[in-house]
Amino acid sequence: MSAPLVADALVEQAMKNTGLDRFDSNSWREGLDVLLADYNKSEHPEPLLARMSGNLVQMLSDRLSTTDYLAKRPELLERPIERPLFVFGMPRTGTTLLSNLLACDPARRSALTWEIEEPVPPPTTATLKTDPRAIAKLAQEKAMLEARPEMGKYYRNSAVYPNECMFFMMHDFKGLAYESRGKLPAYRDWLLSTDMTSTYQYHKRFLQLLQADAPGNWNLKMPSHALWLETLLKTYPDAKLVWAHRDPFTATSSFCSILSMAHRGYTGQIDYEWLGEDCPYQAQLHLDRIMDTREKLGHDRIVDIHYADITRDPMAAIRKLYADLGDTLSAEAEAAMLAWLADNPQGKFGKHEYALEQYGLSVEKLAPRFERYLSQYDVAREG
């Protein structure tokens, strides 16, 4: 039987690795405890247990490093985050494509993959894409894609592309990325009902660190912001909100496929039955919570964009989005977006294949879950 992961041992290792021993708060502890209690119920092959352990230690180490840096430069916590833009929706609705295009706009500041992974010390504006840490990760990325080019078809990412807020919100141990690492129903249910205030407060602190010497108007993306919009707005009351829409049946199928890879990577096997239950539940919850929030805040508080539009005519969709946001799309930004699209054509690394039937699902079986959504929104069907 594999040895259980122990929270105190993980914390001790993070402190040893960093030489630091002070967290800004203990808000992360409950999530870590709930996660480990659920995770330790199952057997895990030793290499995958070590992978999970290493990842958790890294999250703790990043929190320690973030706390230490901000303690040395406390004035950073006085700097505002003004009118940040958040892209969200149910998973697999084109939020990555949209975020990558928005990041081409020099008027926007995105949290890039490499700086999320190595936030201390934060970059300067001049070194956002030339920092040695970025260059090293680009080299690793190139080697990975040369060895396994098929990986590029699942998730369009790069060291110098924007990445999800999830990967630093995880420092508070509240995030669906943890839930994807196996069958973890207790952690999922706790997460979907817990107060996320501390996580969004930490989110702001992390951005204040990143913008220390590289400021700008933030462009941010994470599908599951959809679940906590009211909490998000308590931290960022002037946030701009963008909802990405897509055929929910296709998106759910893709969601199942992506999570199946996470299962394989952290447990060594895929629980198709669980994914067929879990992914539709989460997909519906994302949609329902957005619609509930919109009913409270007013329709115009959230701007819509459709996957079908952005894949058919990306720049027309972007121009409309900017108009709806009241923003100006500069000629420089448009040229940069067109260049990115030319360098990243759909299917560049192959087509991501997936099917509902693999998970015991069908359009007919899922239809009741998406009846409310499809009755309110004219979403192009893909199947």
Side-chain angles (χ1 to χ4, degrees), residues 335-357:
M337 291 177 189
L338 287 168
W340 189 93
L341 288 165
D343 192 47
N344 293 275
Q346 195 167 21
K348 178 177 180 178
F349 296 101
K351 185 178 181 182
H352 180 192
E353 302 283 356
Y354 41 81
L356 288 171
E357 291 74 21

Side-chain angles (χ1 to χ4, degrees), residues 130-250:
T130 60
D131 187 286
R133 292 167 291 177
I135 300 302
K137 289 187 182 298
L138 284 170
Q140 293 171 7
E141 173 188 314
K142 181 180 179 182
M144 184 273 289
L145 285 173
E146 287 175 348
R148 300 186 64 191
E150 74 279 3
M151 292 305 296
K153 66 187 177 183
Y154 300 114
Y155 188 75
R156 188 64 55 82
N157 191 31
S158 169
V160 293
Y161 286 178
N163 211 337
E164 292 193 13
C165 301
M166 174 66 68
F167 298 110
F168 53 94
M169 293 172 74
M170 289 170 73
H171 299 173
D172 204 43
F173 287 89
K174 302 183 185 78
L176 283 171
Y178 289 127
E179 187 273 342
S180 71
R181 295 174 181 181
K183 184 177 180 179
L184 299 170
Y187 178 77
R188 181 198 71 178
D189 292 347
W190 171 82
L191 176 65
L192 295 177
S193 61
T194 199
D195 181 359
M196 293 289 285
T197 298
S198 71
T199 311
Y200 279 97
Q201 290 172 341
Y202 180 80
H203 181 283
K204 183 176 180 179
R205 289 172 60 87
F206 194 84
L207 293 184
Q208 287 170 318
L209 184 154
L210 292 189
Q211 72 178 16
D213 302 302
N217 189 229
W218 284 100
N219 159 54
L220 302 157
K221 169 254 182 177
M222 182 178 78
S224 56
H225 284 309
L227 299 169
W228 304 295
L229 289 173
E230 291 187 70
T231 305
L232 182 158
L233 288 170
K234 290 177 183 177
T235 303
Y236 302 107
D238 60 351
K240 295 185 176 184
L241 306 177
V242 178
W243 181 4
H245 297 265
R246 188 183 184 186
D247 178 347
F249 303 106
T250 302

Side-chain angles (χ1 to χ4, degrees), residues 46-295:
E46 189 60 37
L48 301 183
L49 189 71
R51 182 184 184 190
M52 181 68 164
S53 175
N55 184 264
L56 298 177
V57 168
Q58 187 60 55
M59 296 299 104
L60 290 162
S61 298
D62 287 343
R63 180 120 187 192
L64 285 165
S65 297
T66 298
T67 300
D68 181 67
Y69 191 86
L70 289 170
K72 292 174 179 175
R73 295 182 66 182
E75 75 280 1
L76 297 179
L77 296 175
E78 301 301 318
R79 296 183 186 176
I81 307 288
E82 295 180 332
R83 298 182 300 283
L85 184 151
F86 288 86
V87 174
F88 55 86
M90 69 172 282
R92 309 300 293 170
T93 52
T95 57
T96 300
L97 170 59
L98 177 56
S99 182
N100 278 321
L101 289 174
L102 292 171
C104 294
D105 187 342
R108 299 188 185 279
R109 169 75 164 95
S110 298
L112 306 182
T113 299
W114 78 264
E115 60 176 333
I116 292 173
E117 294 177 355
E118 295 190 59
V120 175
T124 66
T125 299
T127 62
L128 269 172
K129 296 187 179 181
T130 60
D131 187 286
R133 292 167 291 177
I135 300 302
K137 289 187 182 298
L138 284 170
Q140 293 171 7
E141 173 188 314
K142 181 180 179 182
M144 184 273 289
L145 285 173
E146 287 175 348
R148 300 186 64 191
E150 74 279 3
M151 292 305 296
K153 66 187 177 183
Y154 300 114
Y155 188 75
R156 188 64 55 82
N157 191 31
S158 169
V160 293
Y161 286 178
N163 211 337
E164 292 193 13
C165 301
M166 174 66 68
F167 298 110
F168 53 94
M169 293 172 74
M170 289 170 73
H171 299 173
D172 204 43
F173 287 89
K174 302 183 185 78
L176 283 171
Y178 289 127
E179 187 273 342
S180 71
R181 295 174 181 181
K183 184 177 180 179
L184 299 170
Y187 178 77
R188 181 198 71 178
D189 292 347
W190 171 82
L191 176 65
L192 295 177
S193 61
T194 199
D195 181 359
M196 293 289 285
T197 298
S198 71
T199 311
Y200 279 97
Q201 290 172 341
Y202 180 80
H203 181 283
K204 183 176 180 179
R205 289 172 60 87
F206 194 84
L207 293 184
Q208 287 170 318
L209 184 154
L210 292 189
Q211 72 178 16
D213 302 302
N217 189 229
W218 284 100
N219 159 54
L220 302 157
K221 169 254 182 177
M222 182 178 78
S224 56
H225 284 309
L227 299 169
W228 304 295
L229 289 173
E230 291 187 70
T231 305
L232 182 158
L233 288 170
K234 290 177 183 177
T235 303
Y236 302 107
D238 60 351
K240 295 185 176 184
L241 306 177
V242 178
W243 181 4
H245 297 265
R246 188 183 184 186
D247 178 347
F249 303 106
T250 302
T252 299
S253 182
S254 180
F255 186 30
C256 289
S257 177
I258 288 293
L259 289 202
S260 72
M261 289 187 286
H263 271 216
R264 187 184 291 114
Y266 282 93
T267 69
Q269 58 188 351
I270 301 171
D271 190 328
Y272 289 96
E273 183 179 358
W274 169 246
L275 291 174
E277 173 190 335
D278 185 37
C279 292
Y281 169 75
Q282 287 193 41
Q284 180 185 0
L285 191 65
H286 279 69
L287 296 172
D288 284 345
R289 287 197 179 178
I290 301 172
M291 290 185 287
D292 290 345
T293 302
R294 189 170 226 171
E295 289 173 4

